[in-house]
Amino acid sequence: MERVRAMGFSSVTAFADSKPHATDLELADQLGVDDVAAVQLVKVWAAEAEKSGHLQEFARSLLVRRIRSWLPNGWGAGEPDEARFLASSALVNWEGDLPDSLRLLAQRVMARALGDVVPYGWLPSGPDDPILSRWFEDPLL
Protein backbone atom coordinates (compact mmCIF):
# COMPACT_ATOMS: atom_id res chain seq x y z
CA MET A 1 0.00 0.00 0.00
CA GLU A 2 1.30 3.38 -0.96
CA ARG A 3 0.28 5.00 2.31
CA VAL A 4 2.27 2.49 4.34
CA ARG A 5 5.36 3.23 2.26
CA ALA A 6 4.75 6.98 2.62
CA MET A 7 4.87 6.47 6.39
CA GLY A 8 8.30 4.83 6.06
CA PHE A 9 7.31 1.16 6.23
CA SER A 10 8.30 -1.41 3.64
CA SER A 11 5.06 -3.38 3.95
CA VAL A 12 1.70 -3.61 5.69
CA THR A 13 3.26 -6.33 7.84
CA ALA A 14 6.02 -3.97 9.00
CA PHE A 15 3.44 -1.27 9.70
CA ALA A 16 1.25 -3.67 11.72
CA ASP A 17 4.26 -5.07 13.58
CA SER A 18 5.19 -1.56 14.70
CA LYS A 19 1.84 -1.27 16.52
CA PRO A 20 1.27 -4.69 18.12
CA HIS A 21 -1.67 -3.63 20.31
CA ALA A 22 -3.58 -1.61 17.73
CA THR A 23 -6.76 -3.16 16.37
CA ASP A 24 -7.01 -3.51 12.62
CA LEU A 25 -9.60 -0.69 12.67
CA GLU A 26 -7.10 1.56 14.46
CA LEU A 27 -4.41 0.64 11.93
CA ALA A 28 -6.72 1.47 9.03
CA ASP A 29 -7.68 4.76 10.65
CA GLN A 30 -4.00 5.71 10.91
CA LEU A 31 -3.73 5.24 7.16
CA GLY A 32 -6.85 7.20 6.27
CA VAL A 33 -9.98 7.53 8.38
CA ASP A 34 -12.29 8.14 5.44
CA ASP A 35 -10.86 5.93 2.74
CA VAL A 36 -8.95 2.93 4.13
CA ALA A 37 -11.10 0.10 5.42
CA ALA A 38 -9.83 -2.39 7.98
CA VAL A 39 -10.95 -5.30 5.79
CA GLN A 40 -8.88 -3.91 2.92
CA LEU A 41 -5.83 -3.60 5.16
CA VAL A 42 -6.25 -7.16 6.49
CA LYS A 43 -6.56 -8.60 2.97
CA VAL A 44 -3.31 -6.96 1.87
CA TRP A 45 -1.61 -8.05 5.09
CA ALA A 46 -2.81 -11.65 4.63
CA ALA A 47 -1.57 -11.69 1.04
CA GLU A 48 1.85 -10.47 2.18
CA ALA A 49 1.96 -13.19 4.85
CA GLU A 50 1.00 -15.88 2.37
CA LYS A 51 3.60 -14.72 -0.14
CA SER A 52 6.35 -14.55 2.49
CA GLY A 53 5.43 -17.82 4.21
CA HIS A 54 4.56 -16.11 7.50
CA LEU A 55 0.90 -17.05 7.79
CA GLN A 56 1.06 -18.28 11.36
CA GLU A 57 2.70 -15.02 12.48
CA PHE A 58 -0.07 -13.13 10.70
CA ALA A 59 -2.71 -15.29 12.39
CA ARG A 60 -1.24 -14.72 15.83
CA SER A 61 -0.94 -10.98 15.36
CA LEU A 62 -4.47 -10.70 14.00
CA LEU A 63 -5.81 -12.71 16.94
CA VAL A 64 -4.17 -10.28 19.37
CA ARG A 65 -5.94 -7.43 17.61
CA ARG A 66 -9.33 -9.17 17.54
CA ILE A 67 -9.17 -10.03 21.24
CA ARG A 68 -8.24 -6.44 22.07
CA SER A 69 -11.03 -5.16 19.84
CA TRP A 70 -13.83 -7.46 21.05
CA LEU A 71 -12.70 -7.71 24.68
CA PRO A 72 -11.37 -4.25 25.57
CA ASN A 73 -11.81 -4.97 29.29
CA GLY A 74 -10.04 -8.30 29.01
CA TRP A 75 -10.89 -11.99 28.83
CA GLY A 76 -13.82 -12.97 31.02
CA ALA A 77 -14.75 -9.41 32.00
CA GLY A 78 -18.45 -8.79 32.50
CA GLU A 79 -21.29 -11.21 33.02
CA PRO A 80 -20.27 -14.83 32.26
CA ASP A 81 -22.64 -15.32 29.31
CA GLU A 82 -21.66 -12.00 27.77
CA ALA A 83 -17.96 -12.66 28.33
CA ARG A 84 -18.19 -16.05 26.61
CA PHE A 85 -20.19 -14.52 23.75
CA LEU A 86 -17.58 -11.78 23.24
CA ALA A 87 -14.69 -14.26 23.34
CA SER A 88 -16.47 -16.50 20.84
CA SER A 89 -17.23 -13.50 18.63
CA ALA A 90 -13.59 -12.39 18.65
CA LEU A 91 -12.47 -15.89 17.66
CA VAL A 92 -15.07 -16.35 14.90
CA ASN A 93 -14.34 -12.87 13.55
CA TRP A 94 -10.62 -13.72 13.53
CA GLU A 95 -11.18 -17.05 11.77
CA GLY A 96 -13.25 -15.36 9.07
CA ASP A 97 -10.31 -13.22 7.98
CA LEU A 98 -7.80 -16.05 7.75
CA PRO A 99 -6.85 -17.67 4.44
CA ASP A 100 -8.47 -21.04 3.79
CA SER A 101 -5.14 -22.77 4.37
CA LEU A 102 -5.37 -21.85 8.07
CA ARG A 103 -8.95 -23.05 8.73
CA LEU A 104 -7.95 -26.26 10.50
CA LEU A 105 -5.40 -24.43 12.62
CA ALA A 106 -8.00 -21.78 13.47
CA GLN A 107 -10.55 -24.36 14.57
CA ARG A 108 -8.02 -26.00 16.87
CA VAL A 109 -6.89 -22.67 18.31
CA MET A 110 -10.51 -21.66 18.89
CA ALA A 111 -11.29 -24.91 20.71
CA ARG A 112 -8.22 -24.49 22.90
CA ALA A 113 -9.02 -20.86 23.66
CA LEU A 114 -12.60 -21.55 24.66
CA GLY A 115 -11.59 -24.55 26.76
CA ASP A 116 -8.65 -22.88 28.46
CA VAL A 117 -8.54 -21.32 31.92
CA VAL A 118 -7.50 -17.76 31.17
CA PRO A 119 -6.89 -15.20 33.93
CA TYR A 120 -9.73 -12.75 34.39
CA GLY A 121 -9.07 -9.53 32.48
CA TRP A 122 -6.21 -10.98 30.41
CA LEU A 123 -5.30 -9.22 27.19
CA PRO A 124 -2.53 -10.61 25.00
CA SER A 125 0.73 -8.70 25.30
CA GLY A 126 1.49 -9.45 21.66
CA PRO A 127 1.77 -12.33 19.18
CA ASP A 128 4.25 -14.15 21.45
CA ASP A 129 2.10 -13.94 24.58
CA PRO A 130 2.47 -17.17 26.61
CA ILE A 131 -1.28 -17.89 26.57
CA LEU A 132 -1.50 -17.39 22.80
CA SER A 133 1.59 -19.54 22.38
CA ARG A 134 -0.15 -22.30 24.33
CA TRP A 135 -3.17 -22.10 22.00
CA PHE A 136 -0.98 -22.37 18.91
CA GLU A 137 1.28 -25.08 20.34
CA ASP A 138 1.32 -28.37 18.43
CA PRO A 139 -1.79 -27.42 16.46
CA LEU A 140 -1.95 -30.72 14.58
CA LEU A 141 -2.29 -32.94 17.67
Side-chain angles (χ1 to χ4, degrees), residues 47-67:
E48 285 181 7
E50 198 155 26
K51 186 176 180 181
S52 68
H54 291 95
L55 279 172
Q56 191 167 127
E57 292 87 344
F58 162 74
R60 291 170 72 114
S61 185
L62 187 61
L63 183 54
V64 168
R65 296 163 200 289
R66 294 300 162 80
I67 290 170

